[in-house]
Amino acid sequence: MRSDFALVLTAALLCDTVWRNNGEHLSKGPCRAGFSQSFYSVLISRDVLQGQGIQKDTIVSSQKVKFDDCMGNQAVVFQSSDPNFSVRTDGSIFAQGEGASLDEPVQFKLTASGPHTQVWGTVVQLAVIDPPSPPQNENEVTNEEGKIAERKERKDAFQEPPPVIMFSGSPVNDSKGLRRQKRDWVIPPINVAENSRGPFPQMLVSIRSDQDQDISIRYSITGVGADQPPNEVFNIDPVVGKMFVTKPLDREHRSSYHLRAHAVDMNGNQVENPIDLYIFVIDMNDNRPEFKNQVYNGSVDEGSKPGTYVMHLAAFDADDNTTANGMVRYRILSQTPHSPIPNMFTINSETGDIVTVAPGLDREKVSQYTIIVQATDMEGNLNFGLSNTATAIITVSDINDNPPMLTSRTFSGEVPENRVDVVVANLTVIDADQPHSPNWNAIYRILSGDPTGHFTIRTDPVSNDGMVTVVKPVDFEMNRAFMLTVVVSNQAHLASGIQSSLQSTAGVTISVQDVNEPPYFPTNPKNIRFEEGVPAGTSLTTFSASDPDRLQMQQTIRYSKLNDPADWLSINRTNGQIITTGMLDRESVYVKNNIYEATFLATDNGSPAASGTGTLQIYLIDINDNPPALIPKESQICERVNRNVNGVNITAADADTDPNAGPFVFELPSFPSSIRRNWTISRISGDYARLGLRYQIYLEPGVYEVPITVSDSGNPPLSNRSVIKVKVCPCDENGDCTTLGAVAAAGLGTGAIISILICIIILLSLVLLFVVWIKRREKERQTKQLLIDPEDDVRDNILKYDEEGGGEEDQDYDLSQLQQPDSLEHIISKPPGVRRVDERPIIPESQYPIRPVVPHPGDIGDFIHEGLRAADNDPTAPPYDSLLVFDYEGSGSTAGSVSSLNSSSTGDQDYDYLNDWGPRFKKLADMYGGGDD
């Protein structure tokens, strides 16, 4: 137990020494934001646990983590990487999970953040130690004193580089067997500066076991940087236990390493429990602050008060931000331009926020500032820190601090009367604000002088001028001039504290010009009522016009007719009296809905002359001037009376309207007497009646003309005698005429009907015979290929022979062509017209033209020429012996040319042998053989 206590005490003293050497308090010197240490090792006595698990929200140690953000730690939040342990705002370490346990040492990363953008971090390690036991006797006290002396020696040895790390918790054997193994104690981290220049390998620490005096021990290390990538950053001497770093370290690449040290005997058996080694890379100021952008753009309203936020710049330093190496400070190097003062802006040295520090921002004077911002690490120390710069472009935004001002107090213009969409005056305005912005865009309003709304003011989008425009015609006879009061303002409201200018209001005088206005008809259109049928020369009305130019112009009006579709009217040129020139007819096609419409023209004698139109609408009252007409004109009826269906419904049409139309009266005339004897009319309604045969009256099938008198209801009534043609025919049970009956009713007898049927049969027979004849002729044409007799068909008897010319001396021949070829390739490839050999070439036969089934006589010549052309170009066409190949015998023959021999036509020659040459020579045999015939 005493030995265990000595080891624990040695470890505690060792940790305390390392803590004191590495810890830095924020309270010393100027405030430095961050944790007081980069690594906290907290030892917890086992008595605190009392043999039980750690409850949730239990503070596990009185030792606290110290942190200061130099701003009172307002809203600082700690975040732990371990789900079971964390740190409260006062720095106390507590258990935040139900399953928290310290059976093994626990290490977690702790970060601190708040309203500021910076984040700090540290590492916290928790471990349990056993409490010391009181000595039992003097020997134990002596041994304990020896252990304390040994601990002091080890402490002194540790403080001198390099330190020696001892394995702890070795198993101890005694006569009673294996005793309980002591728990590991925490080894403080090893700090190594980055970018070390060596020499390498550089020794970091010596690791040894207290059993190395009894047995031979081999040491090794494992973990990232040893046997895991990146490999061989650290190595250890397996015999003496010295650990080395082999190359410079880069904190920005990796800030810490976690290794495990092992001790085994020569047989590879574990002698000591592995110990954890934490190596932290100490940051060096080897990185400059870097801005994300080289140019930043911001804006601020003109007229802003001091302290107004403008924009934010941020630089990132890859060094440790918990040390001065990564603490960046900002300052403004220059401002362009220097108006109104050189220092219009300032920057927060820690946050990078740019704000205004002086009034006087005026966009109309300076619209943009360029600021050079410098970021320096080492908390802004220009002697030791590294710096970088960026450009901030601040645009001064426009506000409506300049009211629009009219360039004149009065404006004038003139406008012709009766004109619209005419610009009569142009109002010019000046505004110093940003052009084409709501602060610059002008809006014009008419305050007074135009109660009836004749004018409006439109804004020119380019020049911002106001265009006084006529939107409602003005009349010189009513208003000779207008006095308008106008005001101009901006589309945006004026900024706070800015008053409108007196020059925003002006007066506009508009003069109206008198022009020659056309005459007008006071009543247009004018409606009058007259009965139709009034005679020509009747005066209907006076359609006169008025001249609006009654003040300065005294003019004469002349009238004329512009449109009179039926040419029924005329107008007096001087007074406008309307007189009829024809009879008005309501039933005319030019009358629509009882109204006849005509248009007239009134023209003055002004310069230039002006004219106006007027419309006269005459409502024509109907009179009974049209008799009714019978409908229908034709119908049919059954020859046998059927009281249910027999009869024809008749009515009448009258061009007049009520009361001069229906109801109608239908009557049969008394002469001839057969009409009333055979026919009868019964009334159905006011406009309809039924015409039918009298009961028990039988009429032969045929067409009968039945006269009927129709009278309307006018006063006096008009009558009309009409004739309806009624076909009387036999009917079926439904009351419909049969086909034969309809024919009989048309007036044809039985003989005529039979004759018509016979004619139809004969016509059909002729058509059938003609079709059979056409089919037979078509068949004959298919059988007979040519229109001439096969004996006289000479197409198969025309043979193609080669033409023989003169001798060798008469013509220049290539005699090499007479040689027997070894192959037929040259013949196949030769163009048409070459000589053939005396045997049939073995090549595909040529395609000859196909004779039509029914050739036209005019096509025979074309067919023969095409066949000859194909035979001339066909190397496979017979005869094959037309060219005999002989060997060349040389030149210079003493004999004369055979071509010089003359053929004698004298004497008789027997051509009967041609009959023996076959059918192809039969025609020649007939022509030359057979004697005189």
Side-chain angles (χ1 to χ4, degrees):
M1 294 297 290
R2 291 177 181 176
S3 175
D4 294 342
F5 173 76
L7 288 175
V8 171
L9 182 59
T10 302
L13 290 175
L14 182 60
C15 293
D16 180 65
T17 301
V18 174
W19 196 340
R20 288 198 308 268
N21 291 339
N22 296 335
E24 296 182 3
H25 298 280
L26 299 176
S27 61
K28 295 181 180 180
C31 180
R32 178 179 173 183
F35 290 96
S36 61
Q37 300 174 203
S38 60
F39 182 85
Y40 292 86
S41 179
V42 180
L43 302 178
I44 303 172
S45 175
R46 192 175 299 276
D47 292 341
V48 177
L49 303 180
Q50 298 179 355
Q52 301 178 358
I54 302 176
Q55 301 297 323
K56 184 177 180 180
D57 296 333
T58 301
I59 298 177
V60 298
S61 176
S62 60
Q63 182 180 345
K64 295 184 178 181
V65 176
K66 296 182 179 180
F67 174 81
D68 189 0
D69 65 349
C70 301
M71 299 175 63
N73 289 350
Q74 296 294 330
V76 174
V77 178
F78 293 108
Q79 291 184 346
S80 172
S81 62
D82 191 286
N84 296 323
F85 296 96
S86 184
V87 177
R88 292 177 178 172
T89 55
D90 61 352
S92 58
I93 305 172
F94 71 99
Q96 63 177 355
E98 294 289 350
S101 175
L102 289 175
D103 294 339
E104 297 292 338
V106 174
Q107 178 175 306
F108 59 89
K109 185 174 181 180
L110 182 67
T111 59
S113 61
H116 34 67
T117 59
Q118 197 168 5
V119 178
W120 294 268
T122 187
V123 177
V124 179
Q125 190 175 52
L126 306 177
V128 177
I129 62 173
D130 294 322
S133 301
Q136 301 295 329
N137 49 46
E138 294 181 358
N139 293 334
E140 291 185 2
V141 172
T142 303
N143 292 337
E144 186 64 30
E145 292 177 353
K147 291 293 184 180
I148 293 175
E150 183 181 359
R151 185 261 303 167
K152 291 182 179 180
E153 294 177 357
R154 291 183 180 179
K155 176 181 177 181
D156 296 339
F158 178 79
Q159 291 176 351
E160 297 177 359
V164 178
I165 298 178
M166 298 292 296
F167 283 93
S168 63
S170 304
V172 180
N173 296 326
D174 58 9
S175 59
K176 295 183 180 181
L178 187 65
R179 296 178 60 187
R180 179 181 63 84
Q181 178 179 330
K182 189 188 69 174
R183 293 184 59 83
D184 294 345
W185 49 277
V186 178
I187 304 299
I190 302 170
N191 296 324
V192 180
E194 68 171 334
N195 303 325
S196 175
R197 296 185 179 181
F200 295 101
Q202 180 179 356
M203 183 177 176
L204 299 180
V205 70
S206 180
I207 301 175
R208 58 183 296 267
S209 172
D210 55 1
Q211 300 187 41
D212 59 355
Q213 298 179 357
D214 301 331
I215 59 176
S216 297
I217 295 179
R218 293 295 181 264
Y219 302 96
S220 63
I221 55 176
T222 60
V224 175
D227 60 341
Q228 299 177 19
N231 301 76
E232 300 181 355
V233 177
F234 303 96
N235 59 25
I236 189 171
D237 189 323
V239 178
V240 298
K242 294 181 178 181
M243 189 174 73
F244 302 89
V245 59
T246 62
K247 60 181 70 174
L249 302 181
D250 186 0
R251 191 202 68 85
E252 288 71 39
H253 180 261
R254 191 177 186 88
S255 61
S256 64
Y257 297 86
H258 178 198
L259 304 178
R260 305 200 76 184
H262 307 270
V264 297
D265 58 16
M266 299 301 294
N267 296 325
N269 298 321
Q270 178 177 317
V271 177
E272 302 283 0
N273 290 333
I275 60 175
D276 293 317
L277 302 176
Y278 292 93
I279 301 172
F280 288 91
V281 183
I282 304 301
D283 182 47
M284 304 295 288
N285 190 20
D286 57 343
N287 292 279
R288 293 180 180 273
E290 296 290 342
F291 287 95
K292 182 178 180 181
N293 301 316
Q294 198 60 33
V295 178
Y296 291 81
N297 293 288
S299 62
V300 61
D301 290 340
E302 62 175 332
S304 297
K305 298 179 180 180
T308 302
Y309 174 83
V310 179
M311 60 187 302
H312 172 76
L313 279 73
F316 171 76
D317 196 319
D319 293 325
D320 188 0
N321 57 9
T322 63
T323 67
N325 299 333
M327 294 181 180
V328 181
R329 298 295 181 263
Y330 305 91
R331 72 190 187 105
I332 295 178
L333 295 181
S334 65
Q335 168 192 307
T336 305
H338 292 176
S339 175
I341 61 173
N343 299 317
M344 290 293 297
F345 305 93
T346 186
I347 186 170
N348 188 304
S349 60
E350 295 185 0
T351 63
D353 293 336
I354 298 178
V355 296
T356 61
V357 293
L361 290 174
D362 190 351
R363 189 204 65 84
E364 287 72 38
K365 296 180 179 179
V366 179
S367 61
Q368 190 178 86
Y369 291 90
T370 301
I371 295 177
I372 306 300
V373 178
Q374 183 185 57
T376 307
D377 57 17
M378 296 299 292
E379 297 183 284
N381 191 318
L382 299 178
N383 295 325
F384 303 101
L386 302 177
S387 301
N388 213 334
T389 60
T391 302
I393 298 178
I394 301 176
T395 301
V396 181
S397 301
D398 182 48
I399 64 173
N400 194 11
D401 57 345
N402 294 281
M405 295 182 295
L406 294 166
T407 59
S408 177
R409 298 288 295 171
T410 59
F411 296 88
S412 62
E414 57 183 18
V415 58
E417 62 176 337
N418 302 322
R419 295 281 299 276
V420 293
D421 293 331
V422 177
V423 177
V424 298
N426 194 49
L427 312 181
T428 55
V429 68
I430 56 175
D431 195 323
D433 290 321
Q434 178 70 37
H436 305 290
S437 68
N439 301 328
W440 179 81
N441 295 336
I443 297 177
Y444 299 87
R445 291 180 296 115
I446 299 176
L447 297 181
S448 62
D450 185 23
T452 54
H454 290 280
F455 304 94
T456 187
I457 305 179
R458 299 168 182 169
T459 303
D460 189 319
V462 177
S463 64
N464 213 27
D465 292 344
M467 300 177 293
V468 182
T469 308
V470 181
V471 295
K472 183 178 179 181
V474 294
D475 190 354
F476 176 81
E477 285 72 27
M478 296 184 65
N479 297 95
R480 298 189 179 186
F482 292 87
M483 301 296 295
L484 308 180
T485 302
V486 299
V487 64
V488 61
S489 60
N490 289 126
Q491 185 177 348
H493 296 291
L494 289 175
S496 177
I498 305 299
Q499 300 296 328
S500 299
S501 172
L502 296 177
Q503 293 181 337
S504 298
T505 305
V508 181
T509 302
I510 300 176
S511 300
V512 181
Q513 296 176 344
D514 187 22
V515 297
N516 184 24
E517 299 177 78
Y520 68 95
F521 292 88
T523 305
N524 191 14
K526 184 175 183 179
N527 298 305
I528 60 175
R529 295 172 63 92
F530 267 90
E531 286 187 353
E532 64 173 333
V534 295
T538 303
S539 177
L540 300 182
T541 185
T542 298
F543 196 24
S544 60
S546 300
D547 191 349
D549 300 319
R550 61 184 180 275
L551 296 180
Q552 294 184 355
M553 303 179 186
Q554 298 297 328
Q555 297 174 339
T556 302
I557 299 177
R558 294 291 181 264
Y559 300 93
S560 61
K561 186 170 60 173
L562 184 63
N563 183 30
D564 182 11
D567 198 17
W568 289 341
L569 307 174
S570 65
I571 187 169
N572 188 288
R573 287 184 56 83
T574 57
N575 58 16
Q577 184 180 12
I578 307 295
I579 300 175
T580 61
T581 59
M583 186 177 64
L584 304 182
D585 185 6
R586 191 197 65 84
E587 289 75 31
S588 172
V589 295
Y590 302 107
V591 178
K592 307 297 182 184
N593 298 325
N594 300 330
I595 295 177
Y596 179 73
E597 189 173 277
T599 306
F600 299 92
L601 190 67
T603 307
D604 60 18
N605 60 346
S607 180
S611 60
T613 60
T615 301
L616 178 65
Q617 293 181 344
I618 306 174
Y619 185 88
L620 297 178
I621 302 172
D622 183 42
I623 62 174
N624 193 18
D625 57 346
N626 294 281
L630 183 66
I631 299 176
K633 298 296 183 180
E634 295 181 355
S635 185
Q636 61 184 16
I637 194 172
C638 297
E639 61 181 357
R640 299 295 181 181
V641 176
N642 187 337
R643 294 187 180 274
N644 295 329
V645 298
N646 208 35
V648 178
N649 291 337
I650 58 175
T651 184
D654 196 327
D656 296 324
T657 60
D658 292 336
N660 298 319
F664 302 105
V665 177
F666 301 91
E667 295 178 328
L668 291 173
S670 56
F671 181 82
S673 59
S674 60
I675 299 299
R676 291 193 174 187
R677 185 173 61 249
N678 297 330
W679 303 91
T680 181
I681 291 179
S682 58
R683 187 179 183 85
I684 298 177
S685 64
D687 295 335
Y688 291 89
R690 172 168 293 181
L691 173 65
L693 292 173
R694 289 188 177 274
Y695 188 64
Q696 294 182 350
I697 294 297
Y698 171 77
L699 294 179
E700 289 289 336
V703 178
Y704 296 87
E705 293 183 354
V706 181
I708 298 175
T709 301
V710 184
S711 302
D712 58 21
S713 299
N715 186 17
L718 295 180
S719 300
N720 182 24
R721 179 170 178 170
S722 302
V723 175
I724 180 173
K725 293 183 178 181
V726 181
K727 295 180 181 180
V728 178
C729 58
C731 298
D732 54 17
E733 61 275 4
N734 297 325
D736 298 327
C737 285
T738 60
T739 303
L740 185 59
V743 175
L748 298 178
T750 304
I753 295 174
I754 294 175
S755 300
I756 291 174
L757 293 177
I758 293 175
C759 291
I760 293 174
I761 293 173
I762 293 174
L763 182 60
L764 293 176
S765 300
L766 292 176
V767 172
L768 181 61
L769 290 175
F770 180 75
V771 172
V772 172
W773 179 78
I774 290 296
K775 291 291 184 181
R776 182 176 180 182
R777 188 170 179 81
E778 182 73 20
K779 185 175 181 181
E780 291 177 354
R781 289 181 178 177
Q782 293 180 357
T783 304
K784 184 178 181 181
Q785 297 294 332
L786 294 176
L787 297 178
I788 61 176
D789 187 42
E791 294 293 333
D792 298 331
D793 189 2
V794 297
R795 285 177 296 179
D796 291 340
N797 299 327
I798 298 177
L799 302 179
K800 175 67 172 63
Y801 292 91
D802 287 340
E803 179 182 359
E804 295 183 359
E808 295 86 348
E809 296 180 354
D810 294 341
Q811 298 183 11
D812 186 11
Y813 286 99
D814 184 7
L815 298 181
S816 63
Q817 299 297 323
L818 299 177
Q819 301 298 325
Q820 178 68 30
D822 295 333
S823 65
L824 299 178
E825 295 180 357
H826 69 288
I827 296 179
I828 298 174
S829 61
K830 278 188 176 182
V834 299
R835 292 189 178 90
R836 298 190 296 268
V837 296
D838 58 345
E839 58 186 20
R840 179 186 178 94
I842 308 177
I843 59 176
E845 295 185 1
S846 301
Q847 296 296 326
Y848 283 81
I850 302 175
R851 289 175 292 184
V853 178
V854 184
H856 189 274
D859 296 336
I860 295 177
D862 295 338
F863 178 81
I864 293 175
H865 289 299
E866 291 178 3
L868 288 175
R869 191 182 307 109
D872 291 340
N873 297 329
D874 185 9
T876 64
Y880 309 115
D881 56 350
S882 60
L883 175 65
L884 300 179
V885 181
F886 297 90
D887 288 339
Y888 180 64
E889 297 181 356
S891 61
S893 175
T894 56
S897 174
V898 230
S899 60
S900 61
L901 298 179
N902 295 325
S903 299
S904 175
S905 59
T906 60
D908 296 333
Q909 185 174 354
D910 187 8
Y911 293 99
D912 292 338
Y913 61 89
L914 295 176
N915 293 323
D916 301 331
W917 286 11
R920 292 183 178 272
F921 294 89
K922 186 175 183 304
K923 179 62 65 177
L924 290 176
D926 293 340
M927 294 173 60
Y928 294 93
D932 296 337
D933 296 336

